[in-house]
Amino acid sequence: MRHLNRTAAIAALAATTALTASAASAETLTFVSWMKGEPGYGDWWNEVIEKFEAEHEGVEVEMTKVARSEYADTMFTMFAGGTPPDIVHLAAFEYQSFANEGWMETLDPYIEESGLDLEGWAGQDTCVWEGETKCLMLLYTAYILAYNERLLTEAGIEEVPQGWEELLAAAKATTQDTDGDGQTDVYGIGVSSAGGSNMMHDMLHFVLDAGGNWTEDGEPAFDSPGVIEGLRRFKQIYSEGLTPKDAEAGDMRQLLVEGRIAMRLDGPWIYNIIKEAGDETRGDLKLAESPLDPPVGGTSNVIGMPSDISDERKALVWDFIEIAASEEMQQRFATLGSSPAPMPGLDYTAEIEADPYFELFDTANAKAAAAGVDRLPAGLELEFNEVVKLVFRETQRMLIEDLDPEVAAGNIQAAVERIAD
């Protein structure tokens, strides 16, 4: 658990008393979440709780909110102190540390006994830790292309780019010095190069399209041909000045809504951002499928149960999980969250009528999930924070020192192997 902030965890200890004070009654299940009170997903949780309580007379679910910024540390303190919540809600990129400590119950026997069908459930493979199912995936999202239609049209591009070569050509055509001062003020594409996980996600678009991935069969594959080609594409975009340099993902989104970036590969949350664009650009901003295949996809949050509670409580928690996984509540998840649910085969007719881009999001999710894509590299979950830092370091060397991408890939591979051993 070295990735958790020890100081913050100690500071959070006082909060656990309040969070678990009402857990003494066998008729109360405790549930901690950062989503309580949120429009959409928070409403969905309320409906799951209401349905569970209606089917379990005398049993209540007490939901407590902890801020997302403090969440992992607070949950760690609760588990380490022997007072975990009965219903475990975690981000998909952090549950592995809890499973690695032996704190997450194996769900396979419950899944088998209940007959719950998880075939095609988006992102569910991420919930398998050391061969055992430790959670149920609650949200999986895939990236799409946000673009400025006017900028593309003015550059003579009538159709949304398809494939790497067309994307590159469109980025070149729309990169402009509009006022003749010798400085680029409109960029063809926005790619994060300021470090952090968003930079790795942006690089992954090119890696996946080139046939690579950060890991293969759980082992580092940073020096594979697909990764090398992905790094070459990333370097070309940066070196040819087709993207703002040393800027973060948030900067790119802001430049997009200002009409200063023609294209940006991003998650479906970009839709809410472009809705807030000014009158001068809002009508120009559109969404389409990613021109790169497969699209980047990512797991978001999971539900599970602690291993250190009574069998009676585990049975109740499993009933709660089953309700959340039911077709009825998965359909409500899509409606309330304005996002495709992980359960396959749902009827989204009403959602598509209410949201013009819902079908696009569903299509993208299906493609990424079918390809088994996840932003979090399989096999490096516990080391991901260190991996992000060293990838940034070696990528910066590639850009600043003009290293060959093959050399940079070899440097990354060697560094990752050292920390993964």
Side-chain angles (χ1 to χ4, degrees):
M1 294 301 295
R2 60 185 180 279
H3 306 289
L4 295 173
N5 186 307
R6 183 176 179 84
T7 302
I10 293 172
L13 182 59
T16 63
T17 301
L19 291 174
T20 59
S22 61
S25 170
E27 290 76 32
T28 300
L29 296 182
T30 55
F31 177 24
V32 180
S33 175
W34 65 91
M35 290 183 177
K36 181 178 181 179
E38 288 186 8
Y41 296 134
D43 297 326
W44 179 74
W45 281 120
N46 289 339
E47 290 196 10
V48 174
I49 292 171
E50 181 179 357
K51 184 172 177 61
F52 173 84
E53 291 180 343
E55 295 180 5
H56 296 77
E57 185 177 355
V59 181
E60 296 182 353
V61 175
E62 181 181 73
M63 187 178 186
T64 305
K65 180 170 183 173
V66 171
R68 181 59 241 171
S69 60
E70 304 168 357
Y71 198 80
D73 293 322
T74 301
M75 290 290 281
F76 172 67
T77 303
M78 296 178 72
F79 271 91
T83 56
D86 298 304
I87 300 166
V88 178
H89 186 209
L90 291 166
F93 60 83
E94 67 194 9
Y95 96 84
Q96 296 87 355
S97 295
F98 292 81
N100 196 54
E101 293 286 343
W103 290 339
M104 300 284 287
E105 177 75 1
T106 298
L107 300 183
D108 296 289
Y110 299 90
I111 295 170
E112 183 177 356
E113 183 177 351
S114 67
L116 179 62
D117 183 8
L118 295 176
E119 182 71 26
W121 194 277
Q124 183 58 30
D125 286 350
T126 302
C127 273
V128 178
W129 183 255
E130 296 185 348
E132 297 180 338
T133 303
K134 296 296 184 178
C135 54
L136 183 77
M137 189 58 58
L138 291 177
L139 179 61
Y140 181 91
T141 55
Y143 284 45
I144 40 80
L145 178 71
Y147 66 98
N148 188 307
E149 186 176 51
R150 178 183 58 80
L151 291 177
L152 290 179
T153 301
E154 289 177 351
I157 301 168
E158 300 296 333
E159 301 290 337
V160 177
Q162 297 296 317
W164 160 246
E165 295 298 337
E166 289 190 10
L167 180 68
L168 179 63
K172 290 181 178 181
T174 50
T175 297
Q176 308 168 57
D177 170 15
T178 60
D179 56 13
D181 67 353
Q183 300 293 322
T184 299
D185 40 44
V186 175
Y187 294 88
I189 189 168
V191 179
S192 174
S193 56
S197 59
N198 281 323
M199 176 180 157
M200 278 194 68
H201 301 337
D202 282 8
M203 295 169 69
L204 187 57
H205 294 289
F206 311 115
V207 169
L208 291 173
D209 187 67
N213 208 335
W214 302 131
T215 62
E216 295 176 3
D217 298 324
E219 297 296 327
F222 290 88
D223 58 353
S224 63
V227 174
I228 293 170
E229 173 60 17
L231 291 178
R232 185 194 67 77
R233 295 178 184 184
F234 179 83
K235 181 182 180 182
Q236 182 175 5
I237 287 172
Y238 186 94
S239 299
E240 294 187 12
L242 307 181
T243 183
K245 295 183 177 180
D246 306 319
E248 297 179 351
D251 302 321
M252 302 300 178
R253 293 164 188 148
Q254 181 59 36
L255 291 172
L256 177 74
V257 301
E258 292 176 1
R260 296 177 57 197
I261 284 179
M263 298 177 291
R264 163 77 184 161
L265 290 160
D266 215 324
W269 46 82
I270 196 71
Y271 184 33
N272 290 327
I273 295 173
I274 65 177
K275 285 179 182 177
E276 302 301 319
D279 294 340
E280 67 279 7
T281 60
R282 189 185 309 114
D284 299 327
L285 299 175
K286 312 290 184 182
L287 301 180
E289 287 189 52
S290 170
L292 304 181
D293 183 46
V296 170
T299 51
S300 178
N301 60 101
V302 304
I303 187 173
M305 69 174 81
S307 54
D308 191 23
I309 58 174
S310 69
D311 290 343
E312 292 77 14
R313 281 184 176 269
K314 289 176 182 176
L316 288 171
V317 173
W318 177 250
D319 287 350
F320 185 91
I321 294 173
E322 268 202 293
I323 289 172
S326 67
E327 182 175 348
E328 175 189 357
M329 295 313 302
Q330 286 292 292
Q331 193 77 55
R332 290 297 292 161
F333 179 94
T335 301
L336 294 171
S338 300
S339 176
M343 174 180 277
L346 297 175
D347 181 2
Y348 290 139
T349 302
E351 286 76 17
I352 292 170
E353 289 179 355
D355 183 340
Y357 286 122
F358 196 98
E359 187 172 14
L360 168 65
F361 300 151
D362 185 39
T363 299
N365 277 19
K367 285 186 176 181
V373 177
D374 194 1
R375 295 168 297 184
L376 187 65
L380 295 175
E381 296 91 349
L382 299 179
E383 297 83 12
F384 185 59
N385 289 337
E386 290 102 319
V387 170
V388 166
K389 294 175 184 176
L390 67 87
V391 168
F392 175 61
R393 183 190 72 202
E394 295 302 330
T395 301
Q396 284 292 96
R397 287 186 61 200
M398 177 181 72
L399 299 175
I400 296 171
E401 300 175 20
D402 195 26
L403 293 181
D404 186 289
E406 185 172 356
V407 174
N411 292 341
I412 295 172
Q413 178 73 12
V416 171
E417 287 178 347
R418 282 195 296 272
I419 66 171
D421 286 342

